[in-house]
């Protein structure tokens, strides 16, 4: 009999959630981790970056406190303190994951995993000191192996992070001092968040994107509003850029490039490479196993099953969207299917959030995607400047945009840019998952005064019935 029913490789959001749920279902479970419990998301991604961004938001609020009749001395940044708090938050949650695994009697094997064959995992020495109570490297067998190894930052040709002038995400989260200026290559979610962060903290920021607009995965109107908001804050947003050379020296980093206006160059103290992520498929022995891949990720079905019986893949390594909440959901679905419970409740559309200032949140089809599908849609928009709560808090940039199928009346997409929209998008997540129509949302009462009223007004606007527009 195998030592375990399930071995999960990777203790990020998808992996540790899958392991805990498996243990709850009575399955003998172990999780293999080589670096840090909680994965990149908890230790170097989602959690600590949001701590940094919250510090920046508090600083912005303090700077504008006079607008609200609050008089205080000019706020200043204790940059080492900002960084220290983000590391403390990550450490606290790392310890929390360790506690949850122990509480649920999940064995933790510390090291790097290689799959020798279906049912057999070889674990070699990991990085850093193993947490107390973890099992040592060795060969372990299990009836089912779940690959949840996540993703790592994408490296661009000619841009090699050195921790001095050229930064990776890790460097940008733990610098010794705040740079006077920073150039950020990559206008996706990560690049936009770091641009917002460093601008709020006082650095001069230049955001560089190869494509014609930033946030290419978002609705075009949302991306345009974000560009306007970033520029309003003093951030230089350069799009349609082809970088030809990056030259670090003792004075800074010079970036030479071509854009629609011709050859140009800029110089900054630091350059951050923020070009997205790639799935962690190397070093697992997948080539020898002959497992099927798809666009650099592991091909898996709705239950996480791969092309090889007994092997499963969830989260970032199983393909986009590469988001922690999607990984967690897939982890639960996978182990419940293994336990014979079928596929629980389906998997609804996956929301996306960007925690810049202003925030972005979206779910479902963009207007462009709806047109490509040949889907006729009714579109409603409502600007936050017409929302009472947004006016009271002084955050009126942005809008809510909703799309409804002309034939069925069902909601097919929702896109927002503005204050706290990451906390509003679950309303549309639930609506989409339940197949809600415009009529359902029209007859839903939203409390006053709240930002959520903008969702209702956008829905009204899709039927030419908006009250406050």
């Amino acid at each position: 009999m195998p030592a375990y029913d399930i071995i999960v490789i990777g203790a990020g959001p998808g992996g540790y959630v899958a392991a805990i749920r498996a243990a709850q279902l009575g399955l003998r479970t172990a999780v293999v981790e080589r670096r840090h419990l909680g994965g990149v998301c908890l230790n170097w991604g989602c959690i600590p970056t949001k701590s940094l961004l919250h510090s920046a938001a508090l600083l912005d609020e303090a700077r504008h406190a006079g607008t609200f009749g609050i008089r205080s001395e000019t706020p200043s940044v204790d940059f080492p303190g900002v960084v220290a708090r983000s590391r403390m938050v990550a450490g606290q949650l790392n310890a929390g994951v360790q506690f949850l695994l122990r509480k649920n009697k999940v064995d933790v094997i510390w090291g790097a995993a290689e799959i020798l064959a279906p049912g057999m995992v070889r674990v070699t020495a990991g990085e850093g000191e193993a947490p107390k109570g973890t099992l040592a490297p060795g060969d372990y067998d299990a009836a089912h192996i779940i690959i949840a190894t996540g993703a790592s930052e994408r490296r661009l040709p000619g841009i090699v992070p050195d921790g001095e002038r050229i930064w990776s995400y890790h460097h940008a989260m733990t610098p010794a001092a705040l740079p006077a200026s920073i150039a950020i290559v990559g206008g996706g979610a990560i690049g936009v968040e770091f641009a917002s962060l460093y601008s709020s903290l006082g650095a001069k920021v230049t955001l560089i994107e190869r494509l014609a607009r930033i946030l290419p995965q978002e609705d075009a109107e949302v991306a345009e509003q974000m560009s306007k908001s970033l520029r309003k804050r003093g951030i230089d947003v350069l799009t349609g850029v082809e970088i030809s050379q990056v030259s670090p020296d003792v004075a800074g980093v010079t970036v030479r490039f071509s854009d629609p206006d011709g050859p140009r160059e800029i110089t900054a103290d630091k350059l951050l490479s923020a070009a997205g992520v790639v799935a962690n498929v190397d070093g697992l022995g997948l080539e020898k196993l002959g497992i099927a891949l798809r666009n650099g990720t592991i091909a898996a079905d709705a239950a996480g099953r791969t092309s090889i019986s007994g092997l499963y893949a969830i989260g970032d390594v199983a393909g986009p969207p590469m988001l922690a909440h999607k990984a967690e959901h897939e982890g639960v679905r996978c182990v419940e299917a293994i336990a014979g419970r079928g596929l629980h409740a389906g998997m609804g559309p996956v929301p996306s959030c960007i925690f810049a200032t202003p925030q972005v949140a979206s779910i479902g089809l963009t207007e462009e995607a709806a047109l490509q599908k040949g889907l006729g849609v009714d579109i409603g928009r409502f600007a936050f400047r017409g929302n009472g709560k947004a006016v009271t808090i002084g955050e009126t940039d942005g809008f809510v945009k909703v799309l409804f199928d002309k034939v069925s009346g069902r909601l097919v997409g929702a896109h927002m840019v503005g204050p706290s929209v990451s906390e509003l998008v679950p309303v549309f997540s639930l609506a989409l998952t339940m197949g809600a129509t415009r009529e359902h949302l029209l007859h839903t009462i939203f409390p006053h005064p709240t930002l959520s009223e903008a969702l209702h007004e956008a829905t009204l606007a899709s039927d030419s019935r908006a009250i406050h527009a």
Side-chain angles (χ1 to χ4, degrees), residues 342-390:
L343 288 180
H344 76 84
M347 182 165 168
V350 181
S352 172
C353 299
I354 300 171
F355 295 86
T357 301
Q359 292 185 2
V360 170
S362 61
I363 189 166
L365 297 178
T366 63
E367 181 179 356
E368 182 180 26
L371 290 173
Q372 289 174 348
K373 286 178 172 286
L375 189 67
V377 290
D378 290 325
I379 299 175
R381 302 173 183 83
F382 186 77
F384 277 107
R385 65 176 178 270
N387 175 267
K389 181 62 178 291

Side-chain angles (χ1 to χ4, degrees), residues 196-214:
S196 181
L197 168 67
Y198 273 96
S199 177
S200 292
L201 294 176
K204 173 59 182 173
V205 177
T206 302
L207 183 62
I208 302 170
E209 169 55 45
R210 179 177 61 86
L211 299 178
R213 62 180 173 91
I214 64 169

Side-chain angles (χ1 to χ4, degrees), residues 34-399:
R34 64 178 180 174
R35 187 174 297 137
H36 32 228
L37 297 174
V40 170
C41 174
L42 190 151
N43 293 274
W44 291 101
C46 318
I47 296 300
T49 56
K50 302 316 167 278
S51 174
L52 293 168
L53 284 160
H54 183 64
S55 293
L58 288 175
L59 181 62
D60 284 335
E61 286 188 17
R63 285 175 177 146
H64 296 97
T67 304
F68 298 88
I70 306 299
R71 305 298 178 192
S72 63
E73 62 183 64
T74 303
S76 60
V77 180
D78 172 13
F79 190 65
V82 170
V83 173
R85 184 181 187 278
S86 76
R87 301 318 308 156
M88 180 273 291
V89 169
Q92 180 178 334
L93 292 178
N94 175 286
V97 171
Q98 188 173 356
F99 166 78
L100 289 171
L101 291 170
R102 185 169 61 249
K103 174 186 174 184
N104 286 279
K105 297 180 172 56
V106 175
D107 287 342
V108 177
I109 306 168
W110 198 254
E114 179 185 0
I115 304 171
L116 301 181
M120 179 61 66
V121 176
R122 173 164 293 169
V123 181
T124 55
E127 300 179 21
E129 183 179 353
K132 184 178 179 181
T134 58
L135 302 182
D139 289 349
Y140 295 88
D141 57 348
H144 306 275
I145 298 170
I146 300 175
I147 304 169
T149 48
S152 301
E153 57 196 277
R154 184 187 302 277
R155 295 295 174 87
L156 295 174
I159 303 179
V160 181
D162 57 15
E164 294 295 330
R165 294 298 180 185
I166 302 177
W167 284 353
S168 67
Y169 309 152
H170 287 207
H171 301 133
M173 293 175 63
T174 56
L178 178 67
S181 59
I182 183 170
I184 300 174
V185 179
I190 297 170
V192 166
E193 286 191 354
F194 274 112
S196 181
L197 168 67
Y198 273 96
S199 177
S200 292
L201 294 176
K204 173 59 182 173
V205 177
T206 302
L207 183 62
I208 302 170
E209 169 55 45
R210 179 177 61 86
L211 299 178
R213 62 180 173 91
I214 64 169
L215 303 181
Q217 302 302 318
E218 299 295 332
D219 184 89
E221 289 183 86
V222 167
E224 178 59 27
Q225 176 61 54
M226 177 57 81
S227 288
K228 290 178 180 177
S229 295
L230 294 178
R231 290 186 172 112
K232 191 164 113 176
R233 296 176 57 195
I235 298 171
D236 289 335
V237 180
L238 309 179
T239 56
V241 168
E242 288 291 341
I243 295 175
S244 58
Q245 186 178 26
V246 172
S247 304
D249 58 33
V250 293
V253 183
T254 300
V255 182
R256 295 179 177 86
F257 60 90
S258 296
D259 66 10
D261 296 326
R264 296 176 58 192
E265 69 175 48
I266 60 169
T267 300
D269 287 343
K270 309 290 183 182
L271 181 142
L272 169 60
S273 176
V277 296
V278 292
N280 290 327
V281 296
D282 295 334
L284 293 167
L286 302 183
E287 302 86 353
K288 296 177 184 177
L289 295 170
I291 200 166
L293 301 179
R294 183 192 307 123
N295 299 323
T297 65
I298 299 174
D301 69 8
R305 292 181 289 252
T306 71
S307 60
I308 297 178
S309 179
L311 296 186
Y312 308 79
I314 62 169
D316 293 358
V317 77
M322 294 182 175
L323 299 168
H325 42 282
K326 173 253 196 183
E328 292 179 2
H329 198 92
E330 287 182 341
V332 171
R333 282 167 61 87
C334 181
V335 297
E336 291 195 350
I338 290 171
R341 295 202 169 197
L343 288 180
H344 76 84
M347 182 165 168
V350 181
S352 172
C353 299
I354 300 171
F355 295 86
T357 301
Q359 292 185 2
V360 170
S362 61
I363 189 166
L365 297 178
T366 63
E367 181 179 356
E368 182 180 26
L371 290 173
Q372 289 174 348
K373 286 178 172 286
L375 189 67
V377 290
D378 290 325
I379 299 175
R381 302 173 183 83
F382 186 77
F384 277 107
R385 65 176 178 270
N387 175 267
K389 181 62 178 291
V391 174
T392 65
I393 64 175
E395 297 183 42
T396 56
D397 276 0
F399 59 87

